[in-house]
Amino acid sequence: MRENDKSIGDAVDIGDAAEFRFYNVTPVFLDNLKFVVENTRRIVQEVGLKRFAFCLSLHPQGTPASAHADRLVEAYRYLSNELADVDGIELGILLQSTIGHGWNGKIKLTDEPWQRIVRLDGVPSQRMCPSDKRFRDYVVKTIGKLASLDPTFFLVDDDFGLRDGECCCPAHLAELNATMSTSFKNGQELKSVLEKMPYSDKLKRTYEEQRIETSRIFAREIRAEIDRHAPSIRCGYCMTYMGYVFAEEISKILAGGTKPFVRVANAYYLNTSTQAIATLQGVTGKSATAVNGIDERIDESDTFPQTLRSEGATAMHAHITS
Protein backbone atom coordinates (compact mmCIF):
# COMPACT_ATOMS: atom_id res chain seq x y z
CA MET A 1 0.00 0.00 0.00
CA ARG A 2 1.35 3.39 -0.98
CA GLU A 3 -0.12 6.51 0.55
CA ASN A 4 0.64 9.20 3.09
CA ASP A 5 -1.90 8.45 5.80
CA LYS A 6 -0.42 6.94 8.97
CA SER A 7 -3.64 5.71 10.49
CA ILE A 8 -2.94 1.99 10.29
CA GLY A 9 0.02 -0.33 10.22
CA ASP A 10 3.77 0.10 10.21
CA ALA A 11 5.47 2.12 7.49
CA VAL A 12 8.72 1.60 5.63
CA ASP A 13 10.36 4.97 4.97
CA ILE A 14 11.84 5.14 1.48
CA GLY A 15 12.75 8.79 1.53
CA ASP A 16 10.95 11.34 -0.59
CA ALA A 17 9.30 8.81 -2.91
CA ALA A 18 6.48 7.36 -0.84
CA GLU A 19 5.64 5.18 2.10
CA PHE A 20 4.99 1.49 1.78
CA ARG A 21 2.97 -0.64 4.16
CA PHE A 22 2.60 -4.35 3.82
CA TYR A 23 -0.14 -6.81 4.69
CA ASN A 24 0.55 -10.49 5.09
CA VAL A 25 -2.50 -12.34 3.76
CA THR A 26 -2.38 -15.42 5.93
CA PRO A 27 -4.02 -18.76 5.05
CA VAL A 28 -5.97 -20.27 7.94
CA PHE A 29 -5.68 -24.05 8.20
CA LEU A 30 -8.60 -25.06 10.37
CA ASP A 31 -7.03 -28.43 11.19
CA ASN A 32 -3.67 -26.94 12.13
CA LEU A 33 -4.20 -23.60 13.82
CA LYS A 34 -1.08 -24.11 15.92
CA PHE A 35 0.98 -23.95 12.72
CA VAL A 36 -0.74 -20.68 11.75
CA VAL A 37 0.19 -19.19 15.13
CA GLU A 38 3.79 -20.39 14.87
CA ASN A 39 4.17 -19.09 11.32
CA THR A 40 2.70 -15.71 12.26
CA ARG A 41 5.17 -15.40 15.12
CA ARG A 42 8.00 -16.38 12.78
CA ILE A 43 7.09 -13.63 10.31
CA VAL A 44 6.99 -11.06 13.12
CA GLN A 45 10.40 -12.16 14.40
CA GLU A 46 12.20 -12.67 11.08
CA VAL A 47 10.62 -9.94 8.94
CA GLY A 48 9.29 -7.44 11.45
CA LEU A 49 5.90 -7.38 9.76
CA LYS A 50 3.06 -7.10 12.26
CA ARG A 51 0.04 -6.58 10.03
CA PHE A 52 -1.90 -9.72 9.14
CA ALA A 53 -5.11 -10.42 7.24
CA PHE A 54 -6.34 -13.88 8.14
CA CYS A 55 -8.00 -15.42 5.12
CA LEU A 56 -11.54 -16.64 5.87
CA SER A 57 -14.04 -17.72 3.20
CA LEU A 58 -17.73 -17.21 3.93
CA HIS A 59 -18.88 -18.73 0.65
CA PRO A 60 -21.35 -21.38 1.88
CA GLN A 61 -19.78 -24.77 2.46
CA GLY A 62 -21.62 -27.77 3.87
CA THR A 63 -25.16 -27.95 5.18
CA PRO A 64 -25.98 -26.08 7.27
CA ALA A 65 -23.50 -23.50 6.02
CA SER A 66 -23.51 -21.88 9.46
CA ALA A 67 -21.65 -24.87 10.93
CA HIS A 68 -18.55 -24.23 8.83
CA ALA A 69 -18.87 -20.48 9.36
CA ASP A 70 -18.90 -20.99 13.12
CA ARG A 71 -15.64 -22.96 12.82
CA LEU A 72 -14.10 -19.92 11.14
CA VAL A 73 -15.28 -17.65 13.95
CA GLU A 74 -13.78 -19.96 16.57
CA ALA A 75 -10.57 -20.21 14.56
CA TYR A 76 -10.18 -16.43 14.57
CA ARG A 77 -10.98 -16.32 18.28
CA TYR A 78 -8.21 -18.88 18.91
CA LEU A 79 -5.66 -17.07 16.73
CA SER A 80 -6.46 -13.72 18.31
CA ASN A 81 -6.07 -15.12 21.83
CA GLU A 82 -2.85 -16.97 21.03
CA LEU A 83 -1.22 -13.90 19.48
CA ALA A 84 -2.47 -11.35 21.99
CA ASP A 85 0.94 -11.17 23.66
CA VAL A 86 2.74 -9.99 20.50
CA ASP A 87 3.43 -6.30 20.98
CA GLY A 88 1.97 -4.07 18.29
CA ILE A 89 0.44 -6.86 16.20
CA GLU A 90 -2.62 -5.99 14.09
CA LEU A 91 -4.90 -8.89 13.20
CA GLY A 92 -7.45 -8.28 10.49
CA ILE A 93 -9.67 -10.51 8.39
CA LEU A 94 -9.74 -10.92 4.63
CA LEU A 95 -13.27 -12.09 3.81
CA GLN A 96 -11.77 -14.06 0.98
CA SER A 97 -15.08 -15.15 -0.48
CA THR A 98 -18.73 -14.23 0.09
CA ILE A 99 -20.69 -14.56 -3.15
CA GLY A 100 -18.02 -16.93 -4.44
CA HIS A 101 -15.21 -16.70 -6.99
CA GLY A 102 -16.56 -19.55 -9.10
CA TRP A 103 -13.45 -21.67 -8.62
CA ASN A 104 -15.53 -24.71 -7.69
CA GLY A 105 -17.07 -24.75 -11.18
CA LYS A 106 -20.08 -27.07 -11.20
CA ILE A 107 -19.16 -28.73 -7.92
CA LYS A 108 -21.93 -28.16 -5.39
CA LEU A 109 -20.57 -27.03 -2.03
CA THR A 110 -23.80 -26.78 -0.06
CA ASP A 111 -27.41 -27.93 -0.16
CA GLU A 112 -28.69 -24.66 1.24
CA PRO A 113 -31.73 -23.69 -0.89
CA TRP A 114 -30.41 -20.21 -1.60
CA GLN A 115 -30.58 -18.64 -5.03
CA ARG A 116 -27.56 -19.10 -7.25
CA ILE A 117 -26.55 -16.53 -9.84
CA VAL A 118 -27.89 -17.23 -13.33
CA ARG A 119 -25.93 -15.77 -16.23
CA LEU A 120 -27.56 -14.05 -19.17
CA ASP A 121 -26.79 -17.10 -21.28
CA GLY A 122 -29.00 -19.12 -18.94
CA VAL A 123 -26.15 -21.04 -17.32
CA PRO A 124 -26.52 -21.28 -13.52
CA SER A 125 -23.48 -20.58 -11.37
CA GLN A 126 -22.35 -21.85 -8.00
CA ARG A 127 -21.88 -18.20 -7.04
CA MET A 128 -24.59 -17.14 -4.61
CA CYS A 129 -27.00 -14.42 -5.65
CA PRO A 130 -27.10 -11.52 -3.18
CA SER A 131 -30.74 -10.92 -4.08
CA ASP A 132 -31.57 -13.79 -1.68
CA LYS A 133 -31.97 -12.35 1.79
CA ARG A 134 -31.45 -15.77 3.37
CA PHE A 135 -27.92 -15.87 1.93
CA ARG A 136 -27.22 -12.28 2.91
CA ASP A 137 -28.42 -12.91 6.44
CA TYR A 138 -26.03 -15.87 6.75
CA VAL A 139 -23.05 -13.74 5.68
CA VAL A 140 -24.06 -10.72 7.75
CA LYS A 141 -24.64 -12.79 10.89
CA THR A 142 -21.21 -14.42 10.56
CA ILE A 143 -19.51 -11.07 10.05
CA GLY A 144 -21.26 -9.85 13.18
CA LYS A 145 -19.81 -12.74 15.18
CA LEU A 146 -16.36 -11.90 13.83
CA ALA A 147 -16.82 -8.19 14.55
CA SER A 148 -17.62 -9.01 18.17
CA LEU A 149 -14.05 -10.35 18.43
CA ASP A 150 -12.71 -6.86 17.54
CA PRO A 151 -10.41 -7.48 14.56
CA THR A 152 -8.31 -4.50 13.46
CA PHE A 153 -10.01 -4.44 10.07
CA PHE A 154 -12.05 -6.35 7.52
CA LEU A 155 -11.25 -6.53 3.82
CA VAL A 156 -13.98 -7.82 1.48
CA ASP A 157 -12.52 -9.73 -1.47
CA ASP A 158 -13.21 -9.12 -5.15
CA ASP A 159 -15.92 -11.74 -5.64
CA PHE A 160 -18.26 -9.24 -3.98
CA GLY A 161 -20.37 -7.80 -6.78
CA LEU A 162 -22.17 -9.03 -9.88
CA ARG A 163 -19.95 -9.64 -12.90
CA ASP A 164 -20.61 -8.90 -16.54
CA GLY A 165 -23.45 -11.14 -17.68
CA GLU A 166 -24.96 -11.54 -14.21
CA CYS A 167 -27.70 -11.95 -13.07
CA CYS A 168 -31.01 -13.08 -14.53
CA CYS A 169 -32.29 -15.19 -11.66
CA PRO A 170 -36.07 -15.04 -11.05
CA ALA A 171 -35.71 -12.20 -8.53
CA HIS A 172 -33.60 -10.01 -10.80
CA LEU A 173 -35.79 -10.64 -13.83
CA ALA A 174 -38.92 -9.89 -11.82
CA GLU A 175 -37.46 -6.61 -10.57
CA LEU A 176 -36.45 -5.53 -14.07
CA ASN A 177 -39.83 -6.48 -15.53
CA ALA A 178 -41.66 -4.60 -12.80
CA THR A 179 -39.56 -1.47 -13.29
CA MET A 180 -39.59 -1.43 -17.09
CA SER A 181 -43.01 -3.02 -17.74
CA THR A 182 -41.33 -5.78 -19.73
CA SER A 183 -42.00 -9.50 -19.74
CA PHE A 184 -38.64 -11.23 -20.07
CA LYS A 185 -38.93 -14.91 -19.16
CA ASN A 186 -35.22 -15.77 -19.13
CA GLY A 187 -31.75 -14.39 -19.63
CA GLN A 188 -31.52 -15.36 -23.27
CA GLU A 189 -34.49 -13.14 -24.12
CA LEU A 190 -33.00 -10.25 -22.18
CA LYS A 191 -29.55 -10.76 -23.68
CA SER A 192 -30.88 -10.72 -27.26
CA VAL A 193 -32.46 -7.31 -26.61
CA LEU A 194 -29.57 -5.79 -24.64
CA GLU A 195 -27.04 -6.71 -27.35
CA LYS A 196 -28.86 -4.50 -29.85
CA MET A 197 -29.11 -1.46 -27.62
CA PRO A 198 -26.67 1.40 -27.00
CA TYR A 199 -25.59 1.91 -23.42
CA SER A 200 -27.68 5.06 -23.28
CA ASP A 201 -30.89 3.05 -23.67
CA LYS A 202 -33.09 3.19 -20.59
CA LEU A 203 -33.50 -0.60 -20.38
CA LYS A 204 -29.77 -1.24 -20.42
CA ARG A 205 -29.06 1.50 -17.91
CA THR A 206 -31.82 0.24 -15.61
CA TYR A 207 -30.44 -3.29 -15.83
CA GLU A 208 -26.96 -2.05 -14.88
CA GLU A 209 -28.29 0.15 -12.08
CA GLN A 210 -30.25 -2.72 -10.54
CA ARG A 211 -27.17 -4.95 -10.67
CA ILE A 212 -25.17 -2.37 -8.75
CA GLU A 213 -28.00 -1.72 -6.29
CA THR A 214 -27.91 -5.40 -5.31
CA SER A 215 -24.32 -4.90 -4.14
CA ARG A 216 -25.16 -1.62 -2.42
CA ILE A 217 -27.86 -3.28 -0.34
CA PHE A 218 -25.53 -6.10 0.67
CA ALA A 219 -22.72 -3.69 1.55
CA ARG A 220 -25.03 -1.54 3.68
CA GLU A 221 -26.17 -4.58 5.63
CA ILE A 222 -22.59 -5.68 6.26
CA ARG A 223 -21.58 -2.23 7.47
CA ALA A 224 -24.65 -1.93 9.69
CA GLU A 225 -23.81 -5.23 11.35
CA ILE A 226 -20.20 -4.19 11.95
CA ASP A 227 -21.43 -0.91 13.44
CA ARG A 228 -23.76 -2.80 15.73
CA HIS A 229 -20.73 -4.40 17.38
CA ALA A 230 -17.85 -1.99 16.85
CA PRO A 231 -18.30 1.13 14.67
CA SER A 232 -14.57 1.85 14.78
CA ILE A 233 -13.62 -1.30 12.84
CA ARG A 234 -12.51 -0.41 9.35
CA CYS A 235 -13.77 -2.38 6.37
CA GLY A 236 -12.05 -2.16 2.99
CA TYR A 237 -12.95 -3.49 -0.43
CA CYS A 238 -11.00 -5.36 -3.10
CA MET A 239 -12.36 -3.90 -6.30
CA THR A 240 -13.40 -6.42 -8.92
CA TYR A 241 -11.45 -6.59 -12.16
CA MET A 242 -13.01 -4.07 -14.56
CA GLY A 243 -15.38 -3.05 -11.74
CA TYR A 244 -14.57 0.59 -12.24
CA VAL A 245 -18.12 1.94 -12.12
CA PHE A 246 -19.05 0.99 -8.57
CA ALA A 247 -15.75 0.31 -6.75
CA GLU A 248 -15.44 3.67 -4.99
CA GLU A 249 -19.08 3.75 -3.96
CA ILE A 250 -19.05 0.22 -2.51
CA SER A 251 -15.77 0.98 -0.72
CA LYS A 252 -17.29 4.00 0.99
CA ILE A 253 -20.44 2.11 1.98
CA LEU A 254 -18.37 -0.66 3.57
CA ALA A 255 -16.21 1.92 5.35
CA GLY A 256 -19.18 3.51 7.09
CA GLY A 257 -17.95 6.23 9.43
CA THR A 258 -14.31 5.11 9.15
CA LYS A 259 -11.74 6.09 6.55
CA PRO A 260 -12.27 4.01 3.38
CA PHE A 261 -9.52 1.91 1.84
CA VAL A 262 -9.50 -0.17 -1.32
CA ARG A 263 -7.33 -2.78 -2.98
CA VAL A 264 -7.03 -2.11 -6.70
CA ALA A 265 -7.35 -5.01 -9.15
CA ASN A 266 -3.86 -5.13 -10.63
CA ALA A 267 -2.35 -8.54 -9.88
CA TYR A 268 0.58 -9.67 -12.04
CA TYR A 269 0.06 -13.40 -12.13
CA LEU A 270 2.53 -15.99 -13.44
CA ASN A 271 5.31 -13.49 -14.34
CA THR A 272 4.29 -13.80 -17.98
CA SER A 273 6.79 -11.32 -19.45
CA THR A 274 8.62 -8.09 -18.75
CA GLN A 275 6.46 -6.45 -21.43
CA ALA A 276 3.39 -7.28 -19.33
CA ILE A 277 4.61 -4.85 -16.68
CA ALA A 278 3.89 -2.00 -19.09
CA THR A 279 0.38 -3.32 -19.70
CA LEU A 280 -0.09 -3.62 -15.96
CA GLN A 281 0.72 0.06 -15.62
CA GLY A 282 -2.36 0.81 -17.68
CA VAL A 283 -4.53 -1.50 -15.60
CA THR A 284 -3.22 0.04 -12.40
CA GLY A 285 -3.82 3.54 -13.72
CA LYS A 286 -7.42 2.77 -14.66
CA SER A 287 -8.08 1.10 -11.33
CA ALA A 288 -6.56 3.94 -9.33
CA THR A 289 -8.47 6.57 -11.30
CA ALA A 290 -11.74 4.71 -10.68
CA VAL A 291 -11.23 5.15 -6.93
CA ASN A 292 -9.69 8.61 -7.11
CA GLY A 293 -11.79 9.77 -4.16
CA ILE A 294 -10.09 7.27 -1.84
CA ASP A 295 -6.61 8.13 -0.60
CA GLU A 296 -5.69 4.77 0.82
CA ARG A 297 -5.14 2.20 -1.94
CA ILE A 298 -3.59 -1.23 -1.68
CA ASP A 299 -1.53 -2.77 -4.46
CA GLU A 300 -2.32 -6.42 -5.31
CA SER A 301 1.35 -7.19 -5.68
CA ASP A 302 1.90 -10.79 -4.68
CA THR A 303 0.10 -14.09 -4.23
CA PHE A 304 2.58 -16.05 -2.11
CA PRO A 305 2.29 -18.86 -1.00
CA GLN A 306 0.09 -19.83 -3.97
CA THR A 307 3.20 -21.05 -5.74
CA LEU A 308 1.72 -21.38 -9.22
CA ARG A 309 0.82 -17.71 -9.36
CA SER A 310 3.43 -16.17 -7.09
CA GLU A 311 5.64 -13.38 -8.35
CA GLY A 312 9.37 -13.64 -8.13
CA ALA A 313 11.18 -11.07 -6.04
CA THR A 314 12.27 -9.01 -9.08
CA ALA A 315 8.74 -8.95 -10.53
CA MET A 316 7.24 -8.02 -7.19
CA HIS A 317 9.73 -5.17 -6.80
CA ALA A 318 8.90 -3.89 -10.28
CA HIS A 319 5.20 -4.20 -9.57
CA ILE A 320 5.05 -2.21 -6.36
CA THR A 321 7.56 0.46 -7.36
CA SER A 322 6.41 1.10 -10.93
Side-chain angles (χ1 to χ4, degrees):
M1 176 168 60
R2 282 190 292 179
E3 42 82 27
N4 295 317
D5 179 77
K6 297 185 178 181
S7 57
I8 54 176
D10 295 324
V12 178
D13 187 358
I14 56 172
D16 295 332
E19 277 184 352
F20 283 73
R21 291 190 196 87
F22 296 88
Y23 294 79
N24 184 281
V25 176
T26 308
V28 174
F29 305 104
L30 294 178
D31 295 326
N32 196 356
L33 293 176
K34 183 178 179 181
F35 167 77
V36 179
V37 171
E38 292 172 349
N39 196 49
T40 301
R41 290 183 179 276
R42 180 187 64 79
I43 292 171
V44 172
Q45 293 168 2
E46 295 183 7
V47 182
L49 180 63
K50 294 185 178 181
R51 201 150 194 275
F52 296 84
F54 287 121
C55 191
L56 305 179
S57 173
L58 300 190
H59 184 64
Q61 299 179 49
T63 309
S66 58
H68 179 74
D70 285 344
R71 286 191 68 195
L72 299 178
V73 173
E74 292 310 309
Y76 182 79
R77 187 194 308 275
Y78 172 85
L79 295 171
S80 179
N81 289 339
E82 290 295 310
L83 295 165
D85 64 316
V86 180
D87 185 51
I89 198 167
E90 299 180 27
L91 303 180
I93 296 172
L94 170 64
L95 296 169
Q96 188 269 335
S97 182
T98 50
I99 292 172
H101 291 275
W103 296 332
N104 54 305
K106 296 181 180 180
I107 299 174
K108 194 175 183 180
L109 298 181
T110 180
D111 289 323
E112 294 284 8
W114 304 331
Q115 179 64 53
R116 270 64 169 178
I117 283 172
V118 181
R119 293 182 50 82
L120 282 175
D121 57 13
V123 177
S125 168
Q126 288 303 315
R127 279 167 41 87
M128 310 304 297
C129 183
S131 68
D132 194 325
K133 191 174 186 304
R134 297 170 298 178
F135 163 66
R136 299 200 313 271
D137 286 348
Y138 148 78
V139 172
V140 169
K141 183 177 180 180
T142 305
I143 290 175
K145 291 178 180 178
L146 290 167
S148 70
L149 302 177
D150 199 29
T152 303
F153 62 89
F154 287 105
L155 181 60
V156 177
D157 208 3
D158 58 11
D159 64 312
F160 188 92
L162 295 180
R163 299 170 179 171
D164 187 37
E166 296 174 346
C167 169
C168 62
C169 71
H172 276 110
L173 275 181
E175 182 182 17
L176 183 64
N177 284 334
T179 303
M180 295 300 298
S181 299
T182 50
S183 56
F184 295 111
K185 299 181 182 65
N186 53 57
Q188 291 95 324
E189 289 184 3
L190 175 60
K191 182 180 179 182
S192 67
V193 174
L194 290 176
E195 287 177 337
K196 301 172 185 176
M197 291 180 169
Y199 186 77
S200 58
D201 186 90
K202 185 178 180 181
L203 175 63
K204 182 170 284 189
R205 294 186 71 85
T206 300
Y207 168 71
E208 292 294 337
E209 171 62 24
Q210 290 181 347
R211 285 169 8 100
I212 297 171
E213 180 62 17
T214 301
S215 298
R216 292 189 190 107
I217 291 169
F218 200 3
R220 291 186 194 112
E221 292 174 348
I222 288 173
R223 185 65 239 183
E225 182 65 11
I226 294 172
D227 287 345
R228 197 169 71 84
H229 295 275
S232 62
I233 295 178
R234 302 181 70 191
C235 184
Y237 180 49
C238 300
M239 68 182 296
T240 62
Y241 183 67
M242 305 298 284
Y244 306 133
V245 175
F246 55 85
E248 181 171 321
E249 182 181 10
I250 297 300
S251 298
K252 290 180 177 179
I253 292 172
L254 289 170
T258 68
K259 183 177 180 180
F261 67 107
V262 61
R263 192 208 69 187
V264 298
N266 67 333
Y268 176 46
Y269 292 133
L270 299 176
N271 287 243
T272 52
S273 69
T274 53
Q275 290 89 342
I277 289 287
T279 302
L280 184 67
Q281 292 273 20
V283 173
T284 302
K286 287 180 181 178
S287 298
T289 300
V291 289
N292 200 43
I294 298 176
D295 295 332
E296 201 167 317
R297 305 171 201 161
I298 305 171
D299 181 82
E300 188 181 8
S301 55
D302 192 23
T303 54
F304 180 84
Q306 300 176 45
T307 309
L308 174 65
R309 294 181 173 82
S310 290
E311 295 176 328
T314 301
M316 182 176 177
H317 183 268
H319 189 166
I320 65 177
T321 58
S322 62

